[in-house]
Amino acid sequence: MTDSIREGLAKLGIRRLLLAIHDVSFPSDSDEDLGRGSPATRASERLFAYARDLGFTGIQLGPQGQTARSNPSPYDGTIFSRHIGSIGARTWRSLIGDAAVDAVLVKGGGPARHHHAYDASHSLLDQTYQAITPELRGIVATFRAEHAAWLEPDALHAALCAAAGGEGFREWEKRDRDLWWAHAPARRAELLTKHAAAIERYALGQLIAHTEHARVRERAGLQLYGDLQVGYSDADAWRFSGAFLDGYRMGAPPSRTNPEGQPWGYPVLDPAQYSGAAGDLVIARANKAFADYDSVRIDHPHGLVCPWVYRSDTDDHAQAVRDGARLFESPDLPDHPELATFAIPRPDQIDRSRPRYADDWVHSLDAGQVTQYAALFDRLVDAAQRNGRSITDLSCEVLSTMPAPLAAMLVRHGLGRWRVSQKANRDEPRDVYRVENAAREDWVMLGNHDTPPVLAAIRSWTPAKRDQWGRHLAEWLHLPQPERLARDGFFATAMLAELFTSRAENVSIFFADLFGLEERFNVPGLVDDANWSLRLPADFDGMHAFSLMDETAIDLPLAVELALASGR
């Protein structure tokens, strides 16, 4: 079957087919279930094999940084340190034996249990550190020296948080809050000595996590795409404070998807430091990403090109983000006079009749201005080329919002946008989510980690909307049995076939869509233990086979057949 699927995809012009799944959602067998998924489990190896058999060329992972116990969002994790919760049970067993692992296993599978998984992984690391041998201590020292630039600051941050009873750095005494900003090497040396054991323990965890990732990458048999998130963890905000703009935070402007906008609270890279600390940080992130992955997804590339910013000196961040502005497109806004110094377009290049968050707020740019906007993104592309990557492998998460400067940036590098077909407005021929409008370089998908699974979306549609979509699919694909669209799984399969007929060479399928799950992985802006917790069961293949017989899941081989038969 694999060869026929790949041959079919090649005939359809599909070069990249990614299965998108975050670490926490990977399956685990009962004797390796620590409360969350991991790409390092035996069940995950079966998933990789299953994906290869279905013709997938790669896996799109989520951010793999360490998250806080109180906040499991991978998009708030560290940008350099890896999450020790993704260390597999087999590895822990090899280090400290079966009894320690068996004591923290969870029973019955089900959704991720974030607090349990966090506590379990740290308990296992504690026990491993307590039993550290001189030989392992030497290996840790070598690893620590090689990665000291990011490892020691992250380790020191974790140690100081623990010493402060869990308080974040904003609550510490000023000299430690400003440790990096104030360039205080003597104080840093003092703290590194004081917390030497905690820092060595942290380094041990990172050694194990990085070794585990290398093992996964070797065994997967698929390209692994990382996720270069737009945000920064508290550890990163503390360490790289000199790279960020004071007084502002980054968020999402009002848009079709989020009419109220989203106050992310992330720090904003300071344009005055693009040739200094900010530029160095982007290069360091890119180099590590290309060392760890075959390629990357760039989360909200707006953050590197034309970030939406809002004031941080307010108690009403929701209102502040609605009243925000674009960092480089605000030459004379009375409520943001501080931004005038960063403006790239001239006042006459701005359409004042449009909202300041509108894609066409800036209506024209010259080549020199595009180069100014490219200051950070070009560094990322240069890093990709230096590391032997094809620029066309980069996946840019550009959704409903694509301001003119960002559009110019994509054209500059021959990169495409995302088109999420379940969001398509079938009444608007030029709608950005309609796959008929996709270009060769675009990435098309039914949904992503922020949308309802496609089965849930289909079942939520009004009869009129479903009928409209059904008529389109029947006509577009020349379906010989359009009555089969009454079955939800076939309907979703036909939607996937539509993606395969588009001009786009890149297709991504979120795991919940492929396997016919209905639970939502993430509701943007929701802080809840249920968020980020959806997992595949260990018997995912049997579940999928049953769902395919019942036509309640996507049939990927059938989607390829339908696309080929359509003649498009």
Side-chain angles (χ1 to χ4, degrees):
M1 179 187 293
T2 305
D3 289 342
S4 63
I5 294 174
R6 288 180 177 160
E7 289 170 6
L9 291 171
K11 289 178 182 177
L12 292 165
I14 306 301
R15 295 183 59 196
R16 303 172 187 88
L17 178 63
L18 303 189
L19 177 63
I21 181 169
H22 286 60
D23 282 22
V24 73
S25 299
F26 276 91
S28 301
D29 289 334
S30 59
D31 64 344
E32 57 182 357
D33 192 346
L34 299 173
R36 56 167 275 156
S38 162
T41 64
R42 287 193 312 276
S44 295
E45 290 180 2
R46 298 197 300 272
L47 179 62
F48 290 138
Y50 194 75
R52 292 195 300 268
D53 288 345
L54 284 176
F56 284 95
T57 62
I59 300 292
Q60 174 63 72
L61 298 164
Q64 294 186 300
Q66 181 63 55
T67 59
R69 187 179 189 276
S70 59
N71 178 11
S73 170
Y75 292 91
D76 293 335
T78 52
I79 59 175
F80 293 115
S81 290
R82 304 190 69 83
H83 202 304
I84 64 169
S86 290
I87 300 170
R90 284 181 295 179
T91 294
W92 290 123
R93 289 181 189 279
S94 70
L95 290 167
I96 51 177
D98 292 338
V101 175
D102 290 343
V104 294
L105 293 176
V106 301
K107 308 297 182 183
R113 306 177 194 182
H114 297 299
H115 291 168
H116 176 92
Y118 183 94
D119 293 342
S121 61
H122 280 271
S123 172
L124 294 169
L125 177 57
D126 285 340
Q127 294 175 67
T128 304
Y129 182 61
Q130 289 165 13
I132 193 169
T133 63
E135 180 184 11
L136 182 54
R137 178 164 269 132
I139 296 171
V140 170
T142 300
F143 177 82
R144 176 177 171 179
E146 182 180 353
H147 299 281
W150 61 263
L151 199 159
E152 288 194 347
D154 281 3
L156 183 56
H157 177 268
L160 293 176
C161 283
E167 293 283 4
F169 76 92
R170 295 171 184 84
E171 307 302 321
W172 300 347
E173 60 176 299
K174 189 176 189 308
R175 63 173 178 167
D176 292 340
R177 285 200 310 271
D178 299 338
L179 192 65
W180 302 97
W181 176 266
H183 306 292
R187 176 60 176 167
R188 291 201 297 270
E190 176 187 345
L191 292 172
L192 288 170
T193 300
K194 180 179 180 180
H195 299 285
I199 291 167
E200 186 180 45
R201 172 197 174 278
Y202 190 99
L204 171 62
Q206 288 305 303
L207 168 66
I208 299 169
H210 279 74
T211 303
E212 189 83 293
H213 175 72
R215 187 181 302 116
V216 168
R217 189 173 176 186
E218 180 182 351
R219 293 178 178 176
L222 295 158
Q223 285 198 320
L224 295 188
Y225 276 61
D227 196 335
L228 202 70
Q229 77 251 38
V230 70
Y232 296 88
S233 69
D234 274 2
D236 302 311
W238 174 68
R239 166 61 183 89
F240 299 106
S241 56
F244 300 125
L245 180 64
D246 190 37
Y248 277 90
R249 294 290 181 266
M250 188 195 315
S255 69
R256 163 179 166 176
T257 305
N258 292 288
E260 298 301 310
Q262 289 181 288
W264 292 334
Y266 296 138
V268 184
L269 291 170
D270 183 355
Q273 292 294 323
Y274 278 13
S275 297
D280 292 345
L281 176 55
V282 170
I283 293 169
R285 291 189 69 183
N287 285 337
K288 190 166 192 301
F290 292 119
D292 288 349
Y293 305 101
D294 297 293
S295 199
V296 295
R297 164 193 182 269
I298 304 170
D299 180 45
H300 296 289
H302 315 64
L304 292 172
V305 178
C306 51
W308 181 262
V309 300
Y310 62 95
R311 294 186 180 282
S312 58
D313 57 348
T314 175
D315 292 330
D316 190 349
H317 295 289
Q319 185 61 48
V321 79
R322 290 191 291 272
D323 294 337
R326 293 205 183 277
L327 180 61
F328 299 115
E329 286 121 65
S330 308
D332 52 10
L333 295 180
D335 52 336
H336 292 285
E338 302 92 337
L339 300 184
T341 188
F342 306 126
I344 295 175
R346 301 182 304 272
D348 64 285
Q349 293 175 300
I350 292 174
D351 184 351
R352 310 294 172 143
S353 69
R354 303 290 293 142
R356 63 179 70 165
Y357 55 79
D359 286 355
D360 53 359
W361 168 253
V362 174
H363 60 72
S364 62
L365 292 168
D366 60 38
Q369 290 170 321
V370 173
T371 298
Q372 286 180 273
Y373 275 108
L376 293 182
F377 200 90
D378 281 1
R379 285 173 167 81
L380 179 62
V381 171
D382 289 345
Q385 294 175 320
R386 285 196 311 274
N387 285 276
R389 303 302 194 275
S390 168
I391 295 174
T392 56
D393 274 333
L394 300 178
S395 171
C396 293
E397 191 213 16
V398 180
L399 297 166
S400 60
T401 300
M402 186 163 73
L406 182 58
M409 186 60 50
L410 296 181
V411 170
R412 177 185 179 92
H413 292 294
L415 294 168
R417 71 184 301 164
W418 281 22
R419 300 187 189 264
V420 182
S421 68
Q422 67 164 270
K423 296 183 178 183
N425 181 354
R426 300 236 56 87
D427 293 323
E428 174 49 64
R430 294 181 297 176
D431 183 76
V432 299
Y433 289 131
R434 288 177 63 148
V435 298
E436 306 99 296
N437 297 325
R440 175 186 57 80
E441 61 271 16
D442 288 341
W443 291 75
V444 294
M445 58 204 70
L446 301 173
N448 63 11
H449 65 264
D450 286 334
T451 62
V454 68
L455 264 292
I458 291 168
R459 290 166 183 166
S460 73
W461 289 346
T462 64
K465 183 173 182 178
R466 178 162 180 155
D467 181 64
Q468 182 187 42
W469 259 98
R471 284 185 280 106
H472 161 71
L473 292 171
E475 178 181 349
W476 185 262
L477 297 171
H478 307 298
L479 293 178
Q481 297 176 294
E483 65 276 7
R484 290 186 69 186
L485 290 168
R487 304 290 294 179
D488 295 338
F490 184 81
F491 199 109
T493 298
M495 290 180 69
L496 178 59
E498 182 202 25
L499 301 187
F500 290 151
T501 65
S502 77
R503 289 186 292 272
E505 295 181 338
N506 312 294
V507 179
S508 177
I509 306 177
F510 192 58
F511 81 97
D513 293 339
L514 177 67
F515 289 96
L517 304 179
E518 288 197 69
E519 299 89 344
R520 192 159 178 171
F521 180 59
N522 173 54
V523 178
L526 177 66
V527 179
D528 188 275
D529 285 346
N531 243 17
W532 313 105
S533 64
L534 182 65
R535 283 202 294 174
L536 275 179
D539 63 342
F540 62 86
D541 46 354
M543 176 196 74
H544 196 210
F546 181 83
S547 297
L548 290 174
M549 289 189 294
D550 198 36
E551 289 193 283
T552 55
I554 285 177
D555 188 332
L556 196 155
L558 177 57
V560 173
E561 291 178 21
L562 293 175
L564 289 169
S566 73
R568 292 190 177 274

